[in-house]
């Protein structure tokens, strides 16, 4: 099966590996009227239409994208997708002035989601997850990371990860599952957080590894959650299974999370609102991807991560939704790009690379997805817009016209193609 | 033709007239499992399903909205819809630190849009306007105000308004056209702004009135644009034609625009970022609707209007997109509601009323649209969400499932019904 996308402006993002952030802006190249040819699941050609016609036969299908822009499919490298229950009442309390920490202290917050997720059946959780994947795909996301972490006990952590495995079988969006039993200290272990850490190491990690349910692990290193010492213990253990390592770092306080991520050889460190200069330098030195989550800053009405400092230091910076019911309830990478530019200080080009190539690098997949180039998987989005700048400039509306995942058309004219 | 929407939670917003802002929050009532019945173009029943089944016959069509929420169609009371050209390059300059005023002074800004709009053919401008109306409808807007003001000369002002008249014939979205030849002093009158004011009064207003192309007029009262004195002259003239009066007031400086709007009996005053206490009190006393434009604050990275002060003073507050290529490039009222809550300080209920009933009041149509109640026009939206709070809480994704305009289904399952 061959598919040619023609008539559009094609965005050629930097090649090969995660773009160093300082090079991002000049690395984005626009090819007006170029074509992209997919064969099977791969891209085989990106470039001039005449050259294409000389070198290749007529394809099985042509997707006319005249007037539009072709970009790589978005990669969302940080989500908490398999959750049950929503927390709009808490949202209203925050609008009235309460803080996230105050709400959490009152027994709402993440604990409410843990209870709802423990209670949900496998099928309920699967249905909710598939709906979210639909919304991701309609907004141009072709690969998403997704974490457990609303179980905080063996059974529910496994349920969340099995839901992700089943969802991956059924849905075109590619899912990169991450185990996160250390998302919070569960209520029943509040008296003995170290005891919970040992439960994770002794029971939960081994069970996840035995069932091959995750390729990575994430820990929330934060005051009142897991200390740097506990984080080190958890991630050293995770290494034994060959898992990618991720950290929620320096979201509320500077605990040296970024430095810790670099020391441990993490693939990415997320949040980074309070990261100090030493941490930024450490991320840059080790090439740890800094995952910026502007949806959280917007949703919680907090500061944004120090994006200009990160980019100036040449930390490879990625963007993610952090889709979750308490601090960033959205599946849309374009919404995140608009907030990244207008809130956090990205240029439009930096935001595009951060949402594609660098996001792929945060998941260790930059060799396979994240750019439009021959040999990579054919994951692409056709925007109803003359340039990718419109992702931020024309905010609040869905500009995604078509989506191709692994060479297959999965969104046509803004609607899901029936599976 | 009768249509029943069933199975959803129905939002009953306040009745009859623009809600005083201070009453907004407690005035929103949720009716779980209620039905809305439309006959012809009107709503004839809102309430209990069993009562409906006793009183009415089986309808011609049933729209199953199970799990969803029915809200009044959004009314967008401030847009600059019929424009040509986009200004994404200028957007990048702003991201790099230049201000809107600096860009305007360099000859870009609104002048670029004026040039493009003058140059565009009637059909080009119509096509662009219809695309924007499609995006409005897909995001739940059933009535929109739309201004001229990128002509700043007789011919193009008339062209913009004729485009709106033709678009209204072709498109389900109801258009409320407003003449705004005093949107800016045109380049060719920079040496003599008073001369341009006299041209508007002597030539442009009479031509618009003779062709019945507008029901309202708007003036940009601002330092460097039209002074309070010139504004008074323009609006006193507009009164002779029986037009509704609107003002762009106190956006960049406090020139007493809000007070002026109240003195002149305006239907609405927009922006209000720098309005002083006297102005706020005057708006409240005269019942002038304060139109808040959070998209502009977000897009230009400026302060938000003093929403809590306006609401505390019982100014009826509305929300609008201000859709335009320079300071708020979006057609989405849900995006505006999210910014209103998370940026400007609205509660979710206040934002909903501001985007429906109070927005209708800003256009003098609160007797006919803006709420779900018998006798009103059947303009309604079914959201893919369990409550209207999700408009802000679940931001960045399009939650609009179905749209009914004047009793007719015009969006089904997120797609435009072919006309």
């Amino acid at each position: 099966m061959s598919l040619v996308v023609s008539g559009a402006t094609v965005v050629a993002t930097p090649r090969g590996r995660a773009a160093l952030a300082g090079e991002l802006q000049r690395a984005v190249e626009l090819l007006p009227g170029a074509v992209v040819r997919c064969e099977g699941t791969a891209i085989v050609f990106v470039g001039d239409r005449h050259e294409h016609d000389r070198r290749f036969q007529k394809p099985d299908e042509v997707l006319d994208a005249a007037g539009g822009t072709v970009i790589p499919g978005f990669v969302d490298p940080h989500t908490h997708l398999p959750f049950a229950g929503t927390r709009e009442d808490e949202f209203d309390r925050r609008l009235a002035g309460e803080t996230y920490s105050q709400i959490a202290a009152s027994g709402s917050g993440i604990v409410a989601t843990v209870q709802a997720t423990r209670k949900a059946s496998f099928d309920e959780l699967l249905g909710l997850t598939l709906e979210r994947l639909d919304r991701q795909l309609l907004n141009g996301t072709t690969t998403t990371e997704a974490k457990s972490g609303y179980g905080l006990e063996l059974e529910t952590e496994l349920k969340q990860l099995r839901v992700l495995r089943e969802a991956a079988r059924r849905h075109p969006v590619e899912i990169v599952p991450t185990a996160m039993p250390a998302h919070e200290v569960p209520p029943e272990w509040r008296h003995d957080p170290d005891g919970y850490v040992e439960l994770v190491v002794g029971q939960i990690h081994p069970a996840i590894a035995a069932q091959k349910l995750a390729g990575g692990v994430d820990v929330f290193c934060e005051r009142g959650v897991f200390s740097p010492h506990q984080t080190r213990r958890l991630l050293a253990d995770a290494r034994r299974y060959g898992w990618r390592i991720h950290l929620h770092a320096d979201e509320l306080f500077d605990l040296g999370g970024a430095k810790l991520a670099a020391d441990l050889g993490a693939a990415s460190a997320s949040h980074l609102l309070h990261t100090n200069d030493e941490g930024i330098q450490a991320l840059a030195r080790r090439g740890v991807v800094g995952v910026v989550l502007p949806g959280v800053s917007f949703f919680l009405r907090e500061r944004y991560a120090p994006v200009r400092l990160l980019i100036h230091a040449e930390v490879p910076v990625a963007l993610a939704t952090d889709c979750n019911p308490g601090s960033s309830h959205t599946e849309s990478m374009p919404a995140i790009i608009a907030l990244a530019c207008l809130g956090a200080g990205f240029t439009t080009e930096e935001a595009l690379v951060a949402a594609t190539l660098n996001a792929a690098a945060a998941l260790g997949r930059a060799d396979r997805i994240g750019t439009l180039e021959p040999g990579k998987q054919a994951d692409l989005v056709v925007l109803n817009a003359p340039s990718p700048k419109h992702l931020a400039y024309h905010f609040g509306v869905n500009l995604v016209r078509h989506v191709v995942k692994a060479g297959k058309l999965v969104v046509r004219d803004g609607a899901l193609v029936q599976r």
Side-chain angles (χ1 to χ4, degrees), chain A residues 109-123:
Chain A
I110 187 172
V111 172
T113 301
V114 169
Q115 284 168 346
T117 304
R118 288 178 176 179
K119 211 176 133 194
S121 72
F122 179 90
D123 286 345

Side-chain angles (χ1 to χ4, degrees), chain A residues 9 32 36 44 56 74 99 103 108 119 138 148 166 182 185 198 227 285 313 317 371 373 383 393:
Chain A
T9 294
V36 180
V44 295
F56 295 92
F74 295 122
T99 68
I103 288 166
S108 294
K119 211 176 133 194
L138 286 169
S148 70
E166 181 59 25
V185 180
E198 293 314 310
S227 69
R285 211 162 37 239
V317 175
T371 59
E373 52 184 319
L383 299 175
Y393 169 65

Side-chain angles (χ1 to χ4, degrees), chain A residues 355-371:
Chain A
T356 53
L357 179 60
N358 285 7
L363 302 177
R365 300 198 177 192
D367 55 335
R368 203 164 64 72
I369 55 174
T371 59

